[in-house]
Amino acid sequence: MLKAKAKLSRLETVRLIEIAKVGHYTSAFSAAEIFAVLYYDTMQLHPTDPKWPDRDRFLMGKGHAAVGLYPILADLGYLAKETLDQYTRLGNPLGDHPDMTKVPAIDFSSGSIGHALSAGCGMALAARMQQRDYETYVMIGDGELQEGQVWEAALFAAHNRLGRLVGIIDRNGFQLDGRVDDIIGIEPILDKWSAFGWETHVVDGHDVASLATLLRALKADKTREKPVMILANTVKGKGVSYMETEPGWHLGYLAPDDAARAIAEIESMEL
């Protein structure tokens, strides 16, 4: 089922960007399994009450991947599915980046890179202060680790023992201008987070079984004091062969023949 939901995210990403005429295919594709596991397996949610105080929170640093999340929100009932059909059109709440004031179940208006972990720290601290029973999950792009504010937040989370805060790095290896490690090297990632006082894990970000097992185990541990950072190894453009090998697809638009090929390749992904 989780693989099928990741496939839904990818197929709808192609369809929605066809409406918008430009979009972030590859950033959404690398995160599709992460979205599916969080929303269908891990997180405590209440679709009929998007502001339920004890819901788990999810924040995306890489807000440009929202096109892959919107279909999941619609599938869960947070949005009317017809809302997807007018994606980015004037008056529609769904934009290229998510707006928490317009879209149900969006906890943070993201896309200004580097800010999400700081906001996540605030939410995790608020849960403790209010004695709420929720987890806070923050997905970070690997290029986003070049932002200094991320590391300020890392210090804050460890100092305040925010054990209910879980970060997930979408380690797809590319950012807008090329390979992450050619622009500003970020390795050794796990050693850095460990040195900042975080518990660390590594996982195949496209293996839904491994992702679900890890996230379930972390959620079950209510006594942990260290925040957690998961390094999810992913492929930018996962599921469409010509996107996986061409970083220029960070932002683009598919001609009809390319779109048909992309859809065929996604449809053929193993469930």
Side-chain angles (χ1 to χ4, degrees):
M1 191 272 276
L2 294 175
K3 289 183 179 180
K5 297 305 185 182
K7 179 180 287 190
L8 166 72
S9 173
R10 289 188 174 93
L11 289 171
E12 282 290 270
T13 291
V14 174
R15 185 177 77 87
L16 297 187
I17 294 176
E18 168 62 29
I19 296 168
K21 305 305 180 188
V22 67
H24 297 87
Y25 298 97
T26 55
S27 297
F29 291 171
S30 71
E33 282 77 17
I34 297 172
F35 291 150
V37 172
L38 283 172
Y39 277 85
Y40 293 98
D41 188 86
T42 306
M43 291 172 61
Q44 177 175 266
L45 300 170
H46 202 322
T48 60
D49 184 6
K51 296 299 183 183
W52 178 42
D54 287 319
R55 72 192 183 280
D56 288 337
R57 272 59 166 176
F58 176 64
L59 303 86
M60 283 191 294
K62 46 176 286 181
H64 53 280
V67 65
L69 179 59
Y70 295 146
I72 288 174
L73 297 184
D75 188 55
L76 289 171
Y78 285 107
L79 301 169
K81 293 187 178 180
E82 293 77 14
T83 304
L84 298 177
D85 298 338
Q86 296 297 314
Y87 170 65
T88 69
R89 300 302 86 187
L90 186 63
N92 189 276
L94 307 180
D96 189 49
H97 293 72
D99 186 336
M100 64 184 291
T101 69
K102 297 178 180 178
V103 185
I106 294 296
D107 292 308
F108 181 64
S109 300
S110 56
S112 183
I113 298 300
H115 295 175
L117 189 59
S118 294
C121 285
M123 293 180 190
L125 186 59
R128 177 192 297 163
M129 295 173 68
Q130 297 172 3
Q131 298 184 340
R132 295 284 183 190
D133 184 29
Y134 66 79
E135 313 288 325
T136 301
Y137 298 93
V138 182
M139 186 176 71
I140 304 170
D142 48 0
E144 192 170 359
L145 298 183
Q146 298 161 354
E147 293 284 348
Q149 186 167 334
V150 170
W151 300 101
E152 293 180 42
L155 288 169
F156 180 91
H159 177 79
N160 287 282
R161 302 184 303 280
L162 300 181
R164 306 289 294 276
L165 175 65
V166 178
I168 304 170
I169 299 167
D170 182 359
R171 181 60 163 140
N172 62 37
F174 288 92
Q175 59 192 97
L176 175 62
D177 295 322
R179 291 186 180 275
V180 171
D181 292 325
D182 289 342
I183 294 168
I184 297 180
I186 57 175
E187 294 289 353
I189 296 174
L190 291 180
D191 289 346
K192 289 175 180 176
W193 286 96
S194 295
F196 272 69
W198 289 54
E199 179 181 321
T200 60
H201 299 269
V202 62
V203 69
D204 179 342
H206 298 302
D207 183 337
V208 293
S210 295
L211 271 169
T213 298
L214 174 57
L215 288 168
R216 286 178 190 175
L218 293 172
K219 190 176 182 66
D221 183 359
K222 304 299 185 182
T223 63
R224 182 181 58 251
E225 292 194 344
K226 287 186 175 183
V228 175
M229 185 56 69
I230 299 169
L231 179 64
N233 288 309
T234 62
V235 176
K236 192 152 185 172
K238 177 69 175 180
V240 178
S241 59
Y242 60 85
M243 290 185 179
E244 292 178 8
T245 57
E246 175 47 65
W249 279 106
H250 178 88
L251 180 67
Y253 175 66
L254 289 167
D257 288 349
D258 291 327
R261 180 180 167 193
I263 291 168
E265 291 193 21
I266 294 167
E267 289 280 16
S268 70
M269 293 180 75
E270 181 182 352
L271 293 179

